Amino acid sequence: MRTSQLLLPTLREDPGEAETVSHRLMLRSGLIRKVAAGIYTYLPLGLRIIRKVENIIREEMNRAGAQELLMPVASPAELWKETGRWNFYGKELLRFKDRHERDFCLGPTHEEVITDLFRREVRSYRQLPLNFYQIQTKFRDEIRPRFGLMRGREFIMKDAYSFDKDEAGARLNYQKMYDAYHRIFSRCGLTFRAVEADTGLIGGSSSHEFMVLAATGEETVVYSETGTYAANVERAEVLPPTEGSREELRPLRAVSTPNCRTVEEVTGFLKIEPGRLVKTLLYSTGKDTVAVLIRGDHEANEIKIRRLLGVTDLELAGPATVEKITGAPVGFAGPVGLKGVRILADHAVRFTRNVVVGGNRADTHIVDANYERDFQVDEFADLRNAMAGDPSPRKDGILKATKGIEVGHVFMLGTKYSQAMNASFLDPNGKECLAVMGCYGIGVGRTAAAAVEQNHDDKGIIWPFPIAPVHVHLLPLGQSAPVAEATAGLYGSLQQAGLEVLWDDREERAGVKFNDADLIGAPFQVIVGDKGLAEGLLEIKIRKTGEKLKAAPADIPAKILQLAASGPSSQ
RNA sequence: CGGGGCGUAGCGCAGCCCGGUAGCGCACUGCGUUCGGGACGCAGGGGUCGAAGGUUCAAAUCCUUUCGCCCCGACCA
């Protein structure tokens, strides 16, 4: 490829819209361009990266015994109504009508479509197990798309769906996918970790997320440093404390706390630690309102609350509801004397003594409140996010926290979809059985973006060799005949050696070419200048280390292959 | 959906308060010089000032409406 014939619009300055490293660098290096919020065009070089990731995925999926097919982007409402997700999925499902006023949606995922295919085409246990996958553009109408390819509305995803005759078979498929994902992300040159996860809108019994560890990640992961436990905080189980405070119970009293609504304000005003406060959160479930008590230094986990209540709708109650129930403005709710709502509490609350709670009166809090003596709780449960310092639920050490980018997710679905859609087969006894399913996703663009988050410096991207848009960036300096001749020769010999080469044949100055090359981030640069030709040696620059090696032109292809196989950029 | 901010040339921005000729840097075109880490000179091209309505002799600038985008939050794979 020659730069002069390629649309490769590099930007010298950072686009104003971009915040994160990957978003900024992918725009600057001419890989993507925005068409609308969360919707991007992949420019030629960007598409090459996408294809590289896709091909790695394809190879590993095929190796794991999955077969590729391709489902439509648009799917009819009927299928979604069968599983109830037409309503359940909410606004994220982009719906539209065709010319006959029939309801359709853009597929955000394809359980319905694949299950429909299965029930039509598969009859016998002899045909199982099956695992289908596709690499396809999805659409989810995100509330807030951001960070470029990291969280788009339209995005490329590999999704796979397995069908088994029983749980044991499904577990085997799950394990195969789990292993394949390890190979895929390793081959992409990523540092990642598989963690236990919540199943969200997809549903099912268990799941793991594959998290690329990066400071800009949107997810928080906790893991045991000394053990094997790792989980998304929204999922991580928190063990009840084993012992509590032994303080003498002090008498209850009300104090004035003018304008102190938040934990920070109240603890600051009263000069106490956040752990000495219990916050009372009022949630509306759509049907009624519940109060949730959480220690001041903990974070409520709405997923756990939802699961305990068995509801899908849950949001913090509005000011009107809060005032109706507590008789006070938002910020002063407390469990003492609270009536008319169920009171749930995190386990930690049971082990506190002499805490500060809201007074259910404007500008008032209650000091030295105590569970049982001053307020009751209907149910204690694990209702908070895990955090660094908590003991691991596997009792294998203390948890640490880190940020992660979710690039893959595997789910055990069980029979949730096969039951809803009656996807069954006949077993050896002629008995009708429901297929046991699993589903497995990988965000392709997000994986590429995560690779940038993990592999860059202040000059630009440093692509891992297996997903680099090209292997070698060939940089002729100046217009002299010897340089032109040597460059043309190298262009041929590098390609002969099986390397992908981008030839910067623009009439640009050396500095411009060097800076663009560093920005674009091919693992190797080959620099052809009169200076080097005079001594018969040209330079190979290793992007990752900045190291420059000299080699005779004829030796360069072999040298690069050797570096790629063994060097720091090999991955 | 709540809070904040921004839409002026391809990109990054100034001008807006205080109405009166639309500007700067980069990029782009031509010529010349230069040529191993984002050169220089000369000459050029390019803008319905997001859109619609209003106020005014006159609107990028003031007012109203609207659309888009970004950030924080809520929410979400």
Side-chain angles (χ1 to χ4, degrees):
Chain A
M1 272 181 306
R2 298 178 183 219
T3 306
S4 65
Q5 294 162 10
L6 192 69
L7 181 64
L8 181 54
T10 53
L11 303 174
R12 186 184 292 204
E13 290 172 276
D14 282 337
E17 71 188 51
E19 283 284 301
T20 50
V21 171
S22 62
H23 190 191
R24 226 173 53 223
L25 289 177
M26 291 177 97
L27 285 169
R28 274 192 62 201
S29 60
L31 303 181
I32 57 170
R33 283 295 182 265
K34 188 172 67 179
V35 176
I39 298 178
Y40 290 84
T41 290
Y42 305 95
L43 303 189
L45 222 52
L47 183 61
R48 291 179 68 90
I49 294 150
I50 297 291
R51 293 288 185 245
K52 292 267 176 103
V53 175
E54 287 177 354
N55 284 334
I56 289 172
I57 293 172
R58 211 167 251 129
E59 285 175 24
E60 294 300 337
M61 292 302 290
N62 291 343
R63 187 216 293 254
Q67 48 190 314
E68 186 170 9
L69 47 60
L70 186 59
M71 290 180 267
V73 170
S75 55
E78 287 75 61
L79 290 177
W80 291 80
K81 285 176 179 163
E82 277 192 64
T83 57
R85 288 207 294 183
W86 182 255
N87 293 320
F88 194 62
Y89 219 101
K91 288 191 184 157
E92 226 174 282
L93 189 63
L94 187 68
R95 299 144 212 260
F96 60 98
K97 288 178 189 295
D98 70 5
R99 60 165 69 194
H100 304 293
E101 292 287 302
R102 286 186 289 241
D103 285 316
F104 279 84
C105 65
L106 291 184
T109 175
H110 282 71
E111 285 80 8
E112 281 80 359
V113 180
I114 196 74
T115 306
D116 181 56
L117 179 75
F118 178 91
R119 71 180 166 185
R120 288 169 189 276
E121 310 300 337
V122 179
R123 304 273 124 81
S124 160
Y125 75 96
R126 293 170 192 272
Q127 293 167 281
L128 300 180
L130 286 167
N131 191 350
F132 303 106
Y133 76 98
Q134 63 173 345
I135 296 173
Q136 187 224 27
T137 297
K138 300 277 187 264
F139 197 98
R140 296 183 187 175
D141 201 358
E142 283 287 331
I143 296 174
R144 188 142 98 82
R146 56 186 135 173
F147 305 152
L149 295 193
M150 202 80 92
R151 179 171 291 272
R153 291 194 291 170
E154 185 178 297
F155 58 100
I156 299 171
M157 179 171 169
K158 185 285 302 176
D159 47 325
Y161 306 89
S162 66
F163 296 86
D164 277 277
K165 60 180 172 22
D166 54 25
E167 275 286 330
R171 261 196 298 279
L172 198 66
N173 251 325
Y174 186 88
Q175 189 60 42
K176 274 189 191 168
M177 288 295 101
Y178 186 92
D179 295 341
Y181 275 32
H182 271 276
R183 284 197 298 271
I184 289 165
F185 296 122
S186 299
R187 283 184 61 186
C188 289
L190 295 167
T191 303
F192 65 97
R193 185 137 192 185
V195 307
E196 290 183 16
D198 185 66
T199 54
L201 281 174
I202 307 291
S205 52
S206 71
S207 90
H208 285 86
E209 286 167 337
F210 286 76
M211 294 285 193
V212 167
L213 306 182
T216 48
E218 293 185 90
E219 309 287 339
T220 304
V221 171
V222 289
Y223 62 96
S224 158
E225 212 178 15
T226 49
T228 57
Y229 184 78
N232 191 315
V233 274
E234 61 183 33
R235 159 79 187 188
E237 195 187 330
V238 179
L239 299 174
T242 48
E243 59 182 36
S245 162
R246 300 222 175 129
E247 261 176 41
E248 289 292 312
L249 300 193
R250 292 194 290 263
L252 186 79
R253 63 200 167 88
V255 294
S256 169
T257 50
N259 281 320
C260 296
R261 291 185 173 78
T262 64
V263 171
E264 291 74 43
E265 286 164 357
V266 175
T267 56
F269 182 80
L270 297 174
K271 302 205 168 32
I272 55 167
E273 296 297 312
R276 304 285 314 207
L277 182 142
V278 167
K279 52 190 173 186
T280 303
L281 304 166
L282 292 167
Y283 283 97
S284 298
T285 64
K287 287 194 288 276
D288 56 357
T289 306
V290 297
V292 177
L293 307 184
I294 305 281
R295 216 169 74 187
D297 56 336
H298 292 155
E299 257 176 58
N301 179 317
E302 295 188 3
I303 290 172
K304 292 177 179 176
I305 298 169
R306 247 182 224 132
R307 193 175 296 136
L308 179 72
L309 293 171
V311 298
T312 53
D313 280 351
L314 188 78
E315 54 179 16
L316 278 171
T321 312
V322 170
E323 212 155 336
K324 202 178 90 199
I325 288 171
T326 67
V330 174
F332 302 98
V336 179
L338 191 65
K339 292 198 177 62
V341 290
R342 267 181 85 193
I343 300 179
L344 310 177
D346 181 67
H347 288 305
V349 172
R350 187 199 285 260
F351 295 85
T352 61
R353 283 198 174 180
N354 300 323
V355 292
V356 174
V357 297
N360 295 326
R361 216 167 81 196
D363 299 337
T364 305
H365 278 78
I366 288 174
V367 179
D368 295 332
N370 287 287
Y371 166 61
E372 284 190 308
R373 187 190 72 179
D374 305 317
F375 61 91
Q376 304 306 313
V377 167
D378 293 302
E379 188 172 357
F380 283 100
D382 169 19
L383 298 177
R384 69 170 173 98
N385 282 342
M387 54 190 219
D390 285 340
S392 162
R394 296 285 157 70
K395 302 194 165 45
D396 60 355
I398 299 299
L399 296 182
K400 298 198 74 169
T402 186
K403 288 287 180 184
I405 300 164
E406 181 195 350
V407 289
H409 204 155
V410 294
F411 300 83
M412 286 275 283
L413 291 178
T415 55
K416 174 179 162 147
Y417 294 91
S418 48
Q419 183 155 37
M421 299 183 67
N422 194 28
S424 61
F425 61 91
L426 292 183
D427 75 3
N429 305 315
K431 192 173 136 246
E432 200 169 325
C433 302
L434 291 174
V436 182
M437 296 174 57
C439 82
Y440 318 94
I442 291 178
V444 175
R446 190 182 275 189
T447 299
V452 177
E453 292 289 340
Q454 258 183 8
N455 302 284
H456 68 271
D457 61 18
D458 55 349
K459 301 290 275 181
I461 304 174
I462 305 169
W463 286 108
F465 191 85
I467 61 171
V470 292
H471 303 130
V472 182
H473 206 150
L474 185 55
L475 307 173
L477 306 182
Q479 265 71 52
S480 78
V483 165
E485 197 182 319
T487 306
L490 271 168
Y491 186 60
S493 62
L494 286 164
Q495 288 182 314
Q496 279 293 312
L499 291 162
E500 297 165 356
V501 188
L502 178 60
W503 174 1
D504 191 345
D505 60 341
R506 299 174 301 172
E507 290 186 18
E508 287 289 355
R509 301 168 65 80
V512 173
K513 292 189 176 186
F514 288 143
N515 281 304
D516 268 351
D518 286 346
L519 176 63
I520 291 163
F524 301 103
Q525 295 168 18
V526 172
I527 298 150
V528 186
D530 287 312
K531 225 169 72 182
L533 285 175
E535 53 174 331
L537 295 172
L538 297 179
E539 273 171 35
I540 301 169
K541 177 177 156 182
I542 300 170
R543 175 66 182 90
K544 186 167 188 156
T545 59
E547 198 182 344
K548 289 177 177 172
L549 311 171
K550 290 191 176 183
D555 299 336
I556 284 179
K559 185 75 194 163
I560 289 178
L561 285 176
Q562 183 201 329
L563 287 166
S566 63
S569 299
S570 65
Q571 277 296 354

